[in-house]
Amino acid sequence: MNLLVLTKKFPFPLKDGESLAIHGLTKSLSELGCRVSLLAMNTSKHYFAGTDLPEEMDHYQEVRTVAVDNAISPVDAVANLVRGTSYHISRFDQDTYREALSTWLREATFDIVQLETLYLAPYLSTIRRLSNAQVVMRSHNVEHEIWERCSENIGFAPKRWYLRHLTKQLRDYERSQLNQYDLLLPITPRDKKHFERLGCRSETFVLPIGLETKCGPPTYDSYATAPSLHFIGSLDWLPNLEGLQWFLNDVWPQLHARFPDLEFHIAGRNMPHAIQQLRMDRVVVHGEVADSCSFVSAHSISVVPLLSGSGMRAKILEAMSLGRTVITTTVGLEGIRARNRRDLFIADTAAQFLLAIEDCIRRGRKLEQIGRNAHAAFHRHYDRRELAQRLLERYEQLVMAERV
């Protein structure tokens, strides 16, 4: 089976949820015998400057990239506001990418064209015109829901109005595309129901994130030492930054007063200057770390204080795969099969975070059992090869039905 995967970013390095999700699935499909090719936008925000492909991308038959300047432009934002079109989408609707896609579709025949996220939907008409491939949308999130939730947490009224306006445009676009695909891949059952409420009548197949456990087997040495907290995530993604700032402002001062020796370690890509220059007692800012596996494994408690977002959080799955004790919100846990106070902890308010962390500290070395339970839950539900096998069977049915 020939697959062409379209992405809105170059999916490397493997340090954010989107790249990890793309890598885990494409590598698994390749191992199952599929010929997987990649057409990636090489954006100004996530630019890959190398000439040789990373070894981690050896599973692709061919990789082509298209340089795309998708920097936020106030002029374009205002123009889209006037036109009533989604600025979120228009930033990824690029003639150069459309030309590269057209060229490839004229050169080769594909069974499946897989769109990674809604932002590739503008290229549907090009695919339909030049190919008989089945078009599959892999929806990493209900995209408009992320911005809907973010807007609810904005205090400045003009900014809140503008964000709500952008969200409505994005919601209208997302709804308009739902029945244009041959197959929609929501990442959680919850997202599937949300799409159905929006009017989706297309074929759907729920496919959770399957990660490659590149860090190897977990180690539990950190549970034998004084507990410490860590946060890791791409801080150019608004929900991550929003959650971290909330934790630092609303949770950490009380937590530090109660446990003055407890340390909180922060790492992440594209860290804003305000976080880089943060000066808070016992808060250690690392910036982007060279080895996320070692960073996560060094701290027994992983804090994921998400207040908004959609889909599944790959960083939670990664922490579980490493046997860490995760404390996250109900929003953060959406789509992840794990039990509160057995596999991880759920906390939605500052008071609940304080109680959960206090519980972790009180358990001492016994907290290790939570980490071991998390590791077991990850392997039960999110093995990338098993998930890819299920998808491949669905793809074979889809292609055979078209040929008949």
Side-chain angles (χ1 to χ4, degrees):
M1 184 174 290
N2 287 327
L3 277 76
L4 178 60
V5 177
L6 309 186
T7 64
K8 67 176 177 59
K9 61 185 289 187
F10 189 80
F12 188 86
L14 304 177
K15 293 187 176 181
D16 62 87
E18 186 174 331
S19 296
L20 287 166
I22 293 168
H23 175 79
L25 182 58
T26 55
K27 183 171 182 177
S28 299
L29 288 171
S30 175
E31 290 170 351
L32 291 169
C34 297
R35 293 177 293 278
V36 185
S37 298
L38 173 69
L39 180 61
M41 293 187 187
N42 199 7
T43 64
S44 50
K45 185 176 181 181
H46 298 104
Y47 192 73
F48 178 75
T51 53
D52 297 325
L53 289 177
E55 183 180 336
E56 290 87 343
M57 301 184 76
D58 286 349
H59 59 281
Y60 290 110
Q61 289 284 308
E62 185 177 355
V63 175
R64 300 183 188 181
T65 62
V66 180
V68 167
D69 181 4
N70 68 333
I72 293 174
S73 163
V75 173
D76 290 343
V78 171
N80 276 81
L81 193 64
V82 173
R83 287 193 296 264
T85 56
S86 172
Y87 182 52
H88 289 95
I89 299 298
S90 68
R91 290 174 55 224
F92 297 93
D93 188 354
Q94 301 279 337
D95 288 339
T96 52
Y97 190 81
R98 186 172 285 102
E99 290 166 6
L101 173 61
S102 299
T103 298
W104 207 343
L105 292 177
R106 290 189 182 101
E107 294 174 355
T109 299
F110 297 98
D111 299 299
I112 300 284
V113 177
Q114 181 174 301
L115 313 179
E116 294 282 342
T117 80
L118 176 69
Y119 299 97
L120 282 305
Y123 304 98
L124 255 168
S125 59
T126 300
I127 300 167
R128 298 296 192 199
R129 180 168 52 87
L130 297 173
S131 173
N132 292 321
Q134 298 294 287
V135 180
V136 177
M137 168 60 72
R138 189 183 184 204
S139 178
H140 293 223
N141 308 281
V142 179
E143 292 294 341
H144 76 268
E145 187 178 35
I146 297 173
W147 297 98
E148 201 167 64
R149 286 171 164 174
C150 286
S151 66
E152 292 171 358
N153 298 317
I154 299 294
F156 185 53
K159 184 177 181 180
R160 185 172 62 249
W161 175 87
Y162 180 65
L163 200 55
R164 284 176 174 171
H165 188 80
L166 290 181
T167 299
K168 181 184 182 301
Q169 292 176 330
L170 183 61
R171 182 177 63 247
D172 291 345
Y173 183 81
E174 191 162 21
R175 180 188 288 126
S176 74
Q177 299 301 306
L178 282 174
N179 295 306
Q180 304 305 310
Y181 319 118
D182 297 303
L183 181 64
L184 176 65
L185 301 179
I187 216 159
T188 68
R190 178 189 175 278
D191 285 3
K192 178 179 183 291
K193 291 178 181 177
H194 197 121
F195 288 133
E196 289 171 348
R197 287 196 297 271
L198 287 173
C200 178
R201 300 295 176 263
S202 298
E203 291 289 326
T204 59
F205 182 83
V206 176
L207 185 75
I209 294 173
L211 297 184
E212 180 175 23
T213 50
K214 60 185 176 65
C215 300
T219 60
Y220 297 97
D221 297 345
S222 65
Y223 288 99
T225 62
S228 58
L229 312 180
H230 80 265
F231 170 96
I232 185 169
S234 296
L235 287 169
D236 56 354
W237 192 55
L238 183 57
N240 277 345
L241 181 60
E242 172 193 63
L244 175 60
Q245 290 175 327
W246 172 80
F247 186 84
L248 288 168
N249 293 333
D250 290 26
V251 181
W252 180 253
Q254 300 177 66
L255 187 61
H256 178 59
R258 192 173 302 182
F259 303 102
D261 295 328
L262 183 66
E263 292 185 347
F264 179 35
H265 295 257
I266 302 172
R269 300 181 68 202
N270 301 313
M271 188 173 284
H273 183 74
I275 301 295
Q276 293 179 30
Q277 300 301 311
L278 193 67
R279 296 292 182 268
M280 297 179 76
D281 195 22
R282 295 286 177 171
V283 175
V284 183
V285 179
H286 296 259
E288 183 175 353
V289 292
D291 184 355
S292 63
C293 300
S294 297
F295 175 80
V296 173
S297 296
H299 311 287
S300 52
I301 304 172
S302 177
V303 174
V304 190
L306 282 172
L307 308 179
S308 58
S310 181
M312 289 175 65
R313 305 281 69 80
K315 285 300 179 184
I316 293 179
L317 296 181
E318 192 171 46
M320 290 173 65
S321 77
L322 286 168
R324 301 303 91 192
T325 296
V326 175
I327 305 176
T328 189
T329 59
T330 301
V331 170
L333 196 62
E334 285 174 355
I336 295 177
R337 295 175 65 179
R339 293 162 293 182
N340 186 29
R341 301 181 63 81
R342 177 177 171 83
D343 305 323
L344 44 63
F345 291 87
I346 300 174
D348 289 317
T349 66
Q352 290 172 357
F353 263 92
L354 288 168
L355 287 173
I357 295 169
E358 184 177 5
D359 188 348
C360 291
I361 293 172
R362 188 173 59 247
R363 291 178 187 232
R365 185 62 189 262
K366 292 181 180 178
L367 184 63
E368 180 181 324
Q369 188 57 52
I370 299 288
R372 290 185 179 275
N373 292 346
H375 177 256
F378 169 82
H379 281 282
R380 275 197 307 274
H381 304 302
Y382 303 106
D383 180 85
R384 67 178 177 87
R385 294 171 186 84
E386 182 180 336
L387 292 169
Q389 180 63 56
R390 286 187 232 159
L391 179 63
L392 182 55
E393 291 169 2
R394 186 66 188 85
Y395 276 1
E396 288 170 346
Q397 294 170 7
L398 191 65
V399 172
M400 287 301 295
E402 172 63 19
R403 288 173 180 168
V404 171

